[in-house]
Amino acid sequence: MARLGWLDVLRGWAALLVALHHASYLYVPGLQVRMAGWFDPGRYGVLVFFLVSGYIVPASLERRGSVREFWIGRVFRIYPLLAAACAVAVLPFLLGLTGLRAGLERYDPVTAVLAHLTMLQDLLAVPNAMNVLWTLSYEMVFYLLIVALFVVGAHRRSVPAAAGVAAAALLVGGLLPMTLLSRVAGTGTVAGVTAAVFLAAIAAAMSGRPAVRTAGGLLGGLLALVLVTLNGRIAAWEGMSMLAVMFTGTVLYRAEHGQVGRRTAAVTAGFVLLAVVGTGVWNTAGYGTYAWHVQIVWSGSIVAAAVTFGAAWLLRRRRFPRWATALGTASFSVYLLHPLMLMLSNQFFGTTGREEVPKLVAFVVVLLAVSWAAQRLIEAPAQRLGRRIARPTRVGEPAPVTVPVS
């Protein structure tokens, strides 16, 4: 798919903002404390990411017209850098220098590895090896759902998908349990069964036989829905809200390309915005004295993400500076590598508890350089390899679905 400059700018902005948010705890703690309770740059950045994913990822599947090509593309887009980052994250533990994040070392190694291999660890009651990995679990859920819709020919029903998930989050999201399956059956059992079902679903969905492909896609979609509604680390209402945001991104893509009416898309986006804000306000009302701070942060992040995405869309036909689009190209590296750099910085230089803006600037400069190198040396070659592997003619696959791309 031809690169869209405005989406690259959004990705780069979101990744850098998440990195700055996490870096603020180390380098400008005073600013971070003053901002807490009013605005969460990290949450805002993640929501921008989700809107971008919703806009572009289903279109990528439909452009290919092949589930096989889609999954190969996703694997080679995500896993090489993810594996490298996770290896660095666990290296200090393997060397006996420190424990793993959030007590991950207390879990069975097979369980931990299987959970992270599926990228669903945040929905399997397994701590994330790095704090930012939780968002990838919801990205994976979204992939499974759009493949399920694709194999049954319902992939263009993005309006009911977005509105339906948002309504469900508002009406029942707060009633659903957290980590229910893992608490009842055990974390290891759930992780093992999930990994088996996950691999079987993807393998079947990539089949050249239509019935097997349909069954595999639906199995993956069912797995995604069960995990989000019954086994999330975060509340189901929040996970469902994020899925609604992603499907809203798809609705906006369809409006842009004449697949749904723009008025329908605007009404749907407005409904999702109100529903998701209302869901957060309603379900955090019982948080006590600080409930209103939580509600402000939740609502502000959602509204700010919507405004940011809308503003970028209005500017979509403009040329953007090359450095801004380049930042978007390396955004995944920025997102995955900044926790590792913060870990190293804290390990070797410590923290004074004072505002250290020069150190923050130096951190950003080094982060951008390392991310650029990782994109060139790991991401780009892996993606080229993925394209070569996916290239052979498929037997029995449906005819490619033509999706116009501006």
Side-chain angles (χ1 to χ4, degrees):
M1 179 177 291
R3 298 204 70 88
L4 301 176
W6 67 283
L7 291 175
D8 279 333
V9 171
L10 280 177
R11 276 190 286 235
W13 167 247
L16 186 58
L17 205 61
V18 172
L20 289 172
H21 171 63
H22 291 143
S24 69
Y25 288 91
L26 199 62
Y27 301 118
V28 284
L31 175 62
Q32 200 285 323
V33 169
R34 290 192 295 273
M35 191 179 303
W38 298 104
F39 186 67
D40 186 338
R43 185 187 299 273
Y44 156 68
V46 165
L47 289 168
V48 171
F49 263 128
F50 284 156
L51 279 167
V52 171
S53 289
Y55 188 94
I56 207 69
V57 174
S60 174
L61 169 60
E62 294 164 22
R63 179 186 61 84
R64 290 180 168 98
S66 164
V67 175
R68 174 182 175 273
E69 284 190 19
F70 172 76
W71 278 122
I72 291 174
R74 288 292 91 190
V75 166
F76 283 89
R77 170 73 179 90
I78 294 173
Y79 279 92
L81 184 63
L82 176 62
C86 285
V88 174
V90 302
L91 183 59
F93 169 73
L94 296 177
L95 295 176
L97 301 177
T98 184
L100 294 174
R101 181 186 173 275
L104 180 59
E105 70 274 11
R106 296 195 295 269
Y107 289 71
D108 179 77
V110 174
T111 297
V113 170
L114 285 178
H116 282 78
L117 281 176
T118 63
M119 278 179 23
L120 293 168
Q121 69 285 337
D122 208 64
L123 296 162
L124 296 173
V126 174
N128 296 284
M130 296 188 295
N131 60 334
V132 297
L133 297 187
W134 72 271
T135 63
L136 299 186
S137 292
Y138 288 90
E139 289 275 350
M140 180 57 75
V141 163
F142 185 62
Y143 300 161
L144 292 169
L145 291 175
I146 63 173
V147 167
L149 292 172
F150 183 81
V151 298
V152 297
H155 49 284
R156 294 201 175 185
R157 297 183 61 80
S158 304
V159 168
V165 174
L170 178 62
L171 297 175
V172 301
L175 304 176
L176 296 171
M178 298 165 59
T179 64
L180 175 65
L181 301 179
S182 294
R183 285 187 282 114
V184 171
T187 299
T189 299
V190 173
V193 170
T194 295
V197 173
F198 175 84
L199 292 174
I202 291 179
M206 293 169 62
S207 170
R209 302 172 64 180
V212 176
R213 183 168 57 248
T214 300
L218 290 176
L219 179 62
L222 178 61
L223 174 66
L225 290 176
V226 168
L227 291 178
V228 169
T229 55
L230 297 177
N231 211 54
R233 174 187 61 87
I234 61 177
W237 64 262
E238 188 172 354
M240 294 163 73
S241 294
M242 290 185 289
L243 289 176
V245 168
M246 284 191 264
F247 276 115
T248 301
T250 312
V251 170
L252 298 175
Y253 173 86
R254 301 208 183 282
E256 170 71 7
H257 295 91
Q259 297 168 15
V260 300
R262 294 205 174 188
R263 180 176 298 178
T264 300
V267 170
T268 303
F271 171 77
V272 171
L273 178 65
L274 292 175
V276 169
V277 168
T279 297
V281 170
W282 173 260
N283 286 286
T284 56
Y287 281 20
T289 306
Y290 298 101
W292 66 281
H293 278 298
V294 177
Q295 293 166 340
I296 288 173
V297 169
W298 172 260
S299 303
S301 299
I302 293 166
V303 172
V307 170
T308 301
F309 191 88
W313 181 83
L314 290 174
L315 298 172
R316 67 194 182 282
R317 303 197 188 283
R318 294 202 172 194
R319 291 183 62 86
F320 293 91
R322 189 169 180 178
W323 63 265
T325 56
L327 178 60
T329 303
S331 59
F332 190 48
S333 289
V334 172
Y335 187 77
L336 275 189
L337 299 182
H338 79 265
L340 302 177
M341 291 188 55
L342 289 172
M343 177 184 71
L344 291 172
S345 176
N346 189 47
Q347 179 71 29
F348 288 102
F349 304 110
T351 178
T352 64
R354 300 189 301 269
E355 309 298 280
E356 298 181 296
V357 176
K359 285 187 178 181
L360 177 60
V361 172
F363 165 77
V364 171
V365 171
V366 175
L367 171 64
L368 294 179
V370 171
S371 299
W372 176 83
Q375 196 281 326
R376 292 289 299 272
L377 299 176
I378 300 176
E379 289 192 75
Q383 291 173 48
R384 288 195 294 269
L385 176 60
R387 286 192 290 270
R388 286 199 296 272
I389 291 174
R391 192 174 298 156
T393 303
R394 300 159 308 279
V395 178
E397 282 277 81
V401 179
T402 301
V403 178
V405 178
S406 58

